[in-house]
Each structure stands twice: as structure tokens, then as C-alpha cells.
């Protein structure tokens, strides 16, 4: 069997990251991609996941399914965030082991690192300090996913890997006015302000926190790149109990700078104001991407180019008039 005919299960294929992984796999010539919608397979249901793996017998698995959201969503639904994410990863990883999946890639999040971790954040900063309170339940679930992979590797000699993306954006993002992340929320807000000819757009917080952003198709390429590494290459650049790999651009900018960039791309001419009564979240989140660079990957899409593509995607979805 050709490597391009491997049975590959992409969990969460309708999400922003999962759909980008599917696009990347198709572009690279993979033809046997297994996908299930939530209505077809509830990944929080152990019995359903067990039956699916027993029937489909995937050879590789990308765990891109997750309940995600911004500060407001994380603050509002902490029980949902920790429960859903723990159940999905535990069910999928366990059944991957039970059915002999040859390789698995778990997708985490940069929020796994301590709130005040030294910048840029290297992989070994994990579990060295307190998490950001606004998304602690989600972060703990993602840390558990890393440790699940490491534990199955140690006990059962599995080849389960983890990647930790920085803030992602791009086609398929969530532009909900309250439950989205900062960049898509800005795209929607500035677009609506432009249509309404509003004199000002209000941004949560002070504008001073710094963030790193990676275009989702670059992240998908990184996922496939890491999955396709030989076991020896992956092991040579990781440690048994620090096995995850950061994925980002290695560059960040302030929320105020981001707002200015998004405003410019959207074509909004009004004022940008800051509501300092709202939370800022973590002061800075920049990833050390030395590991993945050493493994031969680097991002290709500039932030301005990526934001322009994301804005076109937002308008094409007709979420609001254009």
C-alpha cells in the first residue's frame, strides 16, 4: 500500500484546524481520509468512539476536535470546556491504542504554559507555574492530552505526538460576536463598524498584551510535517516527558498593533478605543519555535496576507452584509 493510501482519521474535520488539515492532506495526495461530523460520531461518547475505531481501523489519527473559544467563552462555560475536551482526547487516544493506530497527533494550545512564563515560551516551561485563570479549565484539559500521549507512549510503546499551536486564524474561523477569539472578533467588529459608519470601535482591555498569530493552513502543514517525521527524528528533538512541539511564527505584536492592522485591512476609517475595565488576559504569549524549525518547518504566510484572506473568508460566509 502506498503511504498516500493510509487510512487517516481527522477528528474535528469541520473545525478551522481540522478542515485545514484535510485540505493539506488532499493537496499532498492522500486519498483515504476518514471524517465524521458530530451528528455521526459524538467523540465524548466512549461507546460510539470504541465502535467507530473497531469498524474503521484508521492507521493514523489527527486529534483536531476540541471545544474552543475566547476569554468570554472560557469564563462563561468552564465546566463545558474541561469536560468536553477531556472526554474527546481520552476516548480517541485510548481507542487509538486499543485498535493499534500506528501514529497519532494531538493538537493542544499555547495556553498550556504558565501565565508569567519566560518569553518566548519553550516546551520545558510546561507545569512550571500558575496558568492564566480565564482559561485554566481548557488549559488543564490540553495538558492532560499531552500527558495521555506521553503515558501511552511510555507504557505501551505507542507513537503518539503533540503539537502546541499559537493563536490560529483563517478560513473556517468562528466569528461569533461574544465567543470568538480576538482576531476574528476584530474582523467582525471592524467590518460591522465600517458598514454602520460608526465613529469608533471599542476593544477589550488596554491594548498592551502581545500575541502571536499563525495562519491556519501553515498550522496544517506543520501538523502533517510532524506526523510524517520518522520516529527517530521526532524522538531526537523531544523528550519522553516533554514530548510536545510548539508551532508558531516566532514573532508577536500588541493587541493595539493588531487592531490597527485589522482596521486597515477591513478599510475602517474611525477611531479605535480601549475599554480598560475588561480583562487583558495573559500579558504576553510568544512561543519558542526552535524545535520545529530544527525539524525543517517554517511558516509561509505573513500576518497581513493572512488577515486579508481571513477577511475574504468572513465576507464569503455572508455572516453579515458586505
Amino acid at each position: 500500500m502506498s503511504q498516500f493510501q493510509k487510512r487517516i482519521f481527522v477528528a474535528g474535520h469541520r473545525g478551522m484546524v481540522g478542515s485545514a488539515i484535510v485540505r493539506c492532506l488532499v493537496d499532498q495526495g492522500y486519498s483515504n481520509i476518514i471524517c465524521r461530523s458530530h451528528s455521526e460520531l459524538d467523540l465524548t461518547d466512549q461507546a460510539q468512539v470504541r465502535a467507530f475505531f473497531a469498524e474503521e481501523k484508521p492507521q493514523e489519527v489527527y486529534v483536531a476536535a476540541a471545544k474552543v473559544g475566547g476569554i468570554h467563552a472560557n469564563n462563561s462555560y468552564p465546566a463545558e470546556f474541561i469536560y468536553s475536551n477531556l472526554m474527546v482526547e481520552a476516548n480517541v487516544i485510548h481507542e487509538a491504542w486499543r485498535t493499534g493506530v500506528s501514529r497519532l497527533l494531538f493538537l493542544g494550545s499555547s495556553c498550556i504554559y504558565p501565565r508569567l512564563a519566560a518569553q518566548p515560551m519553550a516546551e520545558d516551561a510546561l507545569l512550571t507555574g500558575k496558568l492564566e485563570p480565564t482559561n485554566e479549565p481548557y488549559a488543564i484539559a490540553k495538558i492532560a492530552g499531552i500527558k495521555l500521549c506521553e503515558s501511552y507512549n511510555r507504557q505501551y510503546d505507542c507513537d503518539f505526538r503533540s503539537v502546541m499551536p499559537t493563536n490560529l486564524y483563517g478560513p473556517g474561523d468562528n466569528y461569533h460576536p461574544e465567543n470568538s477569539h480576538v482576531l476574528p472578533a476584530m474582523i467582525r467588529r471592524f467590518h460591522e463598524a465600517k458598514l454602520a459608519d460608526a465613529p469608533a470601535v471599542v476593544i477589550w482591555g488596554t491594548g498592551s498584551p502581545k500575541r502571536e498569530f499563525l495562519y491556519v493552513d501553515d498550522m496544517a502543514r506543520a501538523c502533517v510535517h510532524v506526523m510524517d517525521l520518522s520516529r527517530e527524528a521526532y524522538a531526537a528533538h523531544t523528550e519522553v516527558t516533554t514530548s510536545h512541539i510548539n508551532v508558531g511564527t516566532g514573532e508577536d505584536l500588541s493587541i493595539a498593533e493588531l487592531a490597527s492592522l485589522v482596521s486597515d485591512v477591513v478599510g475602517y476609517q474611525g477611531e479605535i478605543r480601549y475599554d480598560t475595565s475588561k480583562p487583558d488576559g495573559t500579558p504576553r504569549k510568544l512561543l519558542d519555535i526552535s524545535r520545529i524549525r530544527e525539524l525543517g518547518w517554517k511558516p509561509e504566510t505573513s500576518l497581513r496576507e493572512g488577515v486579508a484572506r481571513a477577511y475574504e473568508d468572513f465576507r464569503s460566509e455572508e455572516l453579515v452584509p458586505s
Side-chain angles (χ1 to χ4, degrees), residues 50 53 58 61 90-104 148 151-153 155-160:
R50 177 166 294 185
F53 272 84
V61 175
N91 289 339
V92 172
I93 291 168
H94 185 68
E95 294 309 320
W97 161 69
R98 275 174 47 86
T99 55
V101 166
S102 61
R103 194 169 288 175
L104 175 146
L148 274 166
S151 299
Y152 279 74
N153 290 345
Q155 186 169 344
Y156 301 121
D157 195 34
C158 295
D159 187 2
F160 294 172

Side-chain angles (χ1 to χ4, degrees), residues 160-185:
F160 294 172
R161 308 172 178 192
S162 300
V163 286
M164 298 301 115
T166 188
N167 298 290
L168 301 173
Y169 70 98
D173 210 340
N174 170 23
Y175 298 96
H176 189 279
E178 293 180 342
N179 295 338
S180 58
H181 287 103
V182 60
L183 202 160

Side-chain angles (χ1 to χ4, degrees), residues 95-221:
E95 294 309 320
W97 161 69
R98 275 174 47 86
T99 55
V101 166
S102 61
R103 194 169 288 175
L104 175 146
L105 188 72
F106 171 72
L107 278 77
S109 166
S110 60
C111 71
I112 64 168
Y113 293 114
R115 182 176 188 272
L116 299 177
Q119 303 289 322
M121 298 180 289
E123 287 85 354
D124 60 9
L126 183 64
L127 298 176
T128 60
K130 290 186 177 182
L131 299 166
E132 163 60 36
T134 55
N135 59 17
E136 182 187 75
Y138 176 74
I140 286 174
K142 288 299 182 180
I143 293 169
I146 299 170
K147 295 304 175 183
L148 274 166
C149 289
E150 291 176 353
S151 299
Y152 279 74
N153 290 345
R154 290 168 59 197
Q155 186 169 344
Y156 301 121
D157 195 34
C158 295
D159 187 2
F160 294 172
R161 308 172 178 192
S162 300
V163 286
M164 298 301 115
T166 188
N167 298 290
L168 301 173
Y169 70 98
D173 210 340
N174 170 23
Y175 298 96
H176 189 279
E178 293 180 342
N179 295 338
S180 58
H181 287 103
V182 60
L183 202 160
M186 281 189 185
I187 287 175
R188 181 180 187 122
R189 200 170 300 170
F190 281 112
H191 179 77
E192 290 178 343
K194 181 179 76 168
L195 293 183
D197 199 23
V201 167
V202 178
I203 304 296
W204 275 28
T206 64
S208 62
K210 303 192 79 173
R211 293 291 182 270
E212 175 185 20
F213 296 92
L214 179 67
Y215 189 62
V216 71
D217 287 274
D218 283 348
M219 180 62 199
R221 286 192 310 103

Side-chain angles (χ1 to χ4, degrees), residues 13-32:
H13 76 286
R14 286 187 170 176
M16 178 174 65
V17 185
S19 60
I21 290 173
V22 171
R23 286 196 298 272
C24 184
L25 289 169
V26 170
D27 287 346
Q28 293 194 17
Y30 290 93
S31 58
N32 204 350

